[in-house]
Amino acid sequence: MTPSPKTAPDASRRSERSRRAILDAALELVGETGYQRLTIEAIAARAGVGKQTIYRWWPSKAAVLLDAFAALGEEAAAGETELPDTGDLEADLKLVLRTTVDELNSPRFDAAYRALAAESIVNPEVCAHFVERILEPQLRLYAQRLARAQQAGHIRPDIDPRTALELLTGPLTHRWLLRTLPLTHEYADAVVELTLRGLAHG
Amino acid sequence: MTPSPKTAPDASRRSERSRRAILDAALELVGETGYQRLTIEAIAARAGVGKQTIYRWWPSKAAVLLDAFAALGEEAAAGETELPDTGDLEADLKLVLRTTVDELNSPRFDAAYRALAAESIVNPEVCAHFVERILEPQLRLYAQRLARAQQAGHIRPDIDPRTALELLTGPLTHRWLLRTLPLTHEYADAVVELTLRGLAHG
């Protein structure tokens, strides 16, 4: 769904500039108006491009938004395609969850991500694309890190990493989405410690 | 916000019937149309009462809905005001989380609760009422049960029950809201086991 211009370098640079402007506009607008009221027309106007430029590259507003979120995720990951692995699982997970807290609390991310999550909750089709394109690729990184920790003997061998990772990510998402209590680094640390050590005595 | 009629028994029964019809209509309609498109007019029409009957008891559609969810919660709790405490924390929590799974998966609950959650995610005012009126009272039951388990020596003494309970409820809510993987009794059991025992080896 991303443009792959087979044209001269100048045209290619212009294409990339337009593409970035469209994705940025989509993120800003969905945060301002919500998913339902977002239109391709408004994205085009905010990005300073023609509607046809958007329709040439994307079939729908959902497709633009998913690319915009994917780009935001790549930006946040800063080129990293794996979770950190220093050998210290607890320190690595605290670092990752603290970074996630900062991301969720950042205004650029917050409004847009809330709008997409709210729509996903009531719209199974948007949800399926969101989960497949944005959410599960992130969760797989946790599963891989936990599987490596398991190989290194730091995680119990009977544990399914795909199930276990939700103990780390679920509480953070829940607290952020429903604003029950402040989402802080201290909370991120507590979730990692409780998840690794468990609640039960002895 | 609930009617407290100081009239004859017959009028009181009629009031209670109207009140139930209004709450049921609100739950049905919000699941069908979503929060934004829900109107007092539509609730009145579905319930077979006049608009003024609703406005006499509730100031807004949000207030009707919150009462409707509170009634749904009381119905699900079937008069219980505490989580079960047989002395076996793991068995008790599995029972509670399996019941929650059944509730979340029931059509009556699902659509209405999704609509309210989606609105809460993007609307801080609705969210604050939702959390205060519906969510936190439920979470307090977990905190109380975990605190009693701590007194009984089944939970480590250094743990904050309010933080710990989100390891139980967060993953279920997350999986339900974003439909990442099936929400089953097996998953509920796994969350309880992992939360109590932790992931870390030894």
Side-chain angles (χ1 to χ4, degrees):
Chain A
M1 280 187 287
T2 54
S4 50
K6 294 187 181 65
T7 44
D10 269 10
S12 165
R13 267 197 294 276
R14 270 201 306 278
S15 280
E16 180 52 26
R17 261 205 310 276
S18 295
R19 182 179 163 275
R20 289 292 332 175
I22 291 163
L23 297 182
D24 285 347
L27 284 179
E28 281 173 28
L29 280 167
V30 78
E32 293 168 18
T33 69
Y35 182 88
Q36 291 291 338
R37 282 192 288 266
L38 181 69
T39 63
I40 294 282
E41 286 76 5
I43 299 172
R46 176 76 59 101
V49 304
K51 246 170 62 172
Q52 288 316 313
T53 303
I54 299 183
Y55 281 121
R56 202 182 316 142
W57 292 332
W58 292 280
S60 66
K61 70 176 178 182
V64 181
L65 264 184
L66 289 172
D67 271 4
F69 276 97
L72 198 60
E74 284 159 22
E75 194 183 292
E80 299 293 337
T81 55
E82 292 191 352
L83 297 198
D85 188 353
T86 65
D88 182 341
L89 179 64
E90 182 171 329
D92 291 347
L93 289 177
K94 283 181 177 177
L95 179 65
V96 172
L97 260 62
R98 283 171 171 228
T99 307
T100 303
V101 163
D102 293 342
E103 225 175 272
L104 292 170
N105 285 331
S106 77
R108 177 172 160 76
F109 186 92
D110 180 84
Y113 203 53
R114 281 186 184 281
L116 191 61
E119 180 66 15
S120 296
I121 285 166
V122 293
N123 184 333
E125 200 189 339
V126 166
C127 193
H129 289 294
F130 171 60
V131 168
E132 187 190 332
R133 183 82 200 284
I134 310 291
L135 193 55
E136 281 294 340
Q138 291 170 7
L139 298 185
R140 268 197 292 277
L141 302 182
Y142 284 89
Q144 288 161 2
R145 180 67 185 85
L146 292 179
R148 281 199 304 276
Q150 211 164 25
Q151 284 153 19
H154 301 142
I155 294 276
R156 290 194 281 122
D158 59 317
I159 282 172
D160 170 33
R162 179 60 188 79
T163 304
L165 69 88
E166 295 178 48
L167 265 61
L168 295 162
T169 60
L172 261 70
T173 312
H174 188 256
R175 193 174 268 213
W176 171 64
L177 281 177
L178 293 171
R179 304 176 174 93
T180 45
L181 288 172
L183 189 61
T184 61
H185 284 189
E186 290 66 36
Y187 181 62
D189 289 355
V191 167
V192 171
E193 289 166 18
L194 291 174
T195 299
L196 290 180
R197 282 168 231 164
L199 309 183
H201 209 292
Chain B
M1 280 186 286
T2 54
S4 51
K6 293 187 181 66
T7 44
D10 268 10
S12 165
R13 268 197 294 276
R14 269 201 308 278
S15 279
E16 180 54 25
R17 261 205 310 276
S18 295
R19 183 179 163 273
R20 289 292 333 172
I22 291 163
L23 298 182
D24 285 346
L27 284 178
E28 282 173 29
L29 280 167
V30 76
E32 292 169 19
T33 67
Y35 182 88
Q36 292 292 339
R37 283 192 288 267
L38 181 69
T39 62
I40 294 281
E41 285 77 5
I43 299 172
R46 177 75 60 100
V49 304
K51 248 172 59 173
Q52 288 316 313
T53 304
I54 299 184
Y55 280 122
R56 202 181 318 141
W57 292 333
W58 294 279
S60 65
K61 70 176 178 183
V64 181
L65 265 183
L66 289 172
D67 271 3
F69 276 97
L72 198 59
E74 283 158 23
E75 194 183 292
E80 298 294 336
T81 54
E82 292 191 351
L83 296 198
D85 188 353
T86 66
D88 182 341
L89 178 65
E90 182 170 328
D92 291 347
L93 290 176
K94 283 181 179 177
L95 179 66
V96 171
L97 261 61
R98 282 171 171 227
T99 306
T100 303
V101 163
D102 292 342
E103 224 175 272
L104 293 171
N105 285 332
S106 76
R108 176 170 161 77
F109 187 91
D110 180 85
Y113 203 52
R114 282 187 182 280
L116 191 61
E119 182 66 15
S120 295
I121 286 167
V122 293
N123 184 332
E125 199 188 339
V126 167
C127 193
H129 288 295
F130 171 62
V131 168
E132 186 190 331
R133 182 82 201 281
I134 310 292
L135 194 54
E136 281 293 340
Q138 290 171 7
L139 298 186
R140 268 198 292 277
L141 302 183
Y142 284 90
Q144 288 161 2
R145 181 66 185 85
L146 292 179
R148 280 199 305 275
Q150 211 163 25
Q151 284 152 19
H154 301 140
I155 294 276
R156 290 195 279 122
D158 58 318
I159 283 172
D160 170 33
R162 180 59 188 79
T163 304
L165 69 87
E166 296 178 47
L167 265 61
L168 295 162
T169 59
L172 260 70
T173 311
H174 188 257
R175 193 175 269 210
W176 171 64
L177 281 177
L178 293 171
R179 304 177 174 92
T180 46
L181 288 172
L183 189 61
T184 60
H185 284 187
E186 290 67 33
Y187 180 63
D189 289 355
V191 167
V192 171
E193 289 167 17
L194 292 174
T195 298
L196 290 181
R197 282 168 229 164
L199 309 183
H201 209 291

